[in-house]
Amino acid sequence: MTPFKNNISLQLVELIADHLELHLVGFDRHGFTAPICDELQNLELKARAQLISGHLQRVLPAELEHRYEVVRALFHPDEDSNMGMDSDTTGLRGWGMLPFGMVIGQSGLSDFTSSLELLKEMTKRCSAEFDIRPFLIADQEAVLDIIQDWVEEPNMHVRRLVSEGTRPRLPWGERLPRLIADPSPMLPLLEKLRDDSTEYVRRSVANHLNDIAKDHPDLVAEIAANWMRGANVDRQRLVRHACRTLIKQGHPRVLSAFGLHPPKLEMIELLVKRDKILMGGALEFELAIRSTAKTDQNLIIDYVVHFLKANGSLSAKVFKWKQLTLPAGASVGLTRSHKFVPITTRKYHFGIHALSMRINGKDFGFVEFSLLPSR
């Protein structure tokens, strides 16, 4: 897979320069491109965008209105673009927008109205979810007063910016401390977007609620219960995705909202096929359970890997597995495997790990196994 950083390339720098030449009198092309090209290849994605942004701020007009006129003139005419669409001779979009979003976020705080209007246009060509955040941190009320009307915009990218740009804990974005502490200002806007016509926007609403759940689980449980009343299939899917963390944690009210109750089960067997796993291999395991209930049970079955930490303790990570309806008195056997391969978000430690099950929020079993270096 091609690294994301390669989307901010030397070719893109030259294309940006092509467009700047059309709109900046006396533009020094070499003076703009040469220092960028000297450093670009050694940098990662965000640093590449920031490098270009810094040089853009040097060559763009200092006066904000004139600066924004030039930036707007560079936009691609297609108002329904996305990150996968390349910039071209007709205008910039996708990855080519990243440095310009940084320009707006870092130089536009003196004029919220003009800056947010420009971000509104930019997000149609590349998400502005990171670039709206400096404005929220500076004056949350002013931003929300402006974007509250965006929930009615015909362009889905603008509607999504309302929910995605305000996520309290947006990955790779600045955290929003005020919305982490008190998410209530966003709840009316999320409710207006919950039945949006596009999965793209509804998924953003779900992710926003999942962010809130990390700090206010009972609030999201209450929202889930309310939103599930009379919910169609799309909203049910949204709420389930919003509650994925709370479902894994076994939050009782959230489980109840989905018709899930404390399980009445006995575990017949939890077996790992091999108790020694080589790094790069897979843990294969079997589960057998029997219902002790007199009625059918809806079950969410997840598995928990207890990873060995450097200090010798274990850290539990819940993985989604299966949903099923288990008839009264019935038994079921399931098999699964979990691969142990290098990933950037986890450091493995060799030694004793463990496996358990989490069914409707209740933990069952605990089986140890060893993770060993590959030979």
Side-chain angles (χ1 to χ4, degrees), residues 266-277:
E266 61 176 342
M267 192 177 71
I268 302 171
E269 183 177 57
L270 177 58
L271 173 70
V272 296
K273 293 187 177 180
R274 292 185 300 276
D275 62 3
K276 293 181 175 61
I277 310 300

Side-chain angles (χ1 to χ4, degrees), residues 15 69 123 203 273 324:
L15 183 59
E69 287 177 359
T123 204
R203 180 55 65 99
K273 293 187 177 180
L324 57 84

Side-chain angles (χ1 to χ4, degrees), residues 44 62 76 94 98 135 207 210-211 213 225 253 256 292 301 307 330:
E44 297 302 316
H76 198 283
L98 290 186
F135 296 91
N207 288 333
N210 188 57
D211 276 8
R253 189 170 181 190
S256 178
T292 59
I301 302 175
F307 292 98

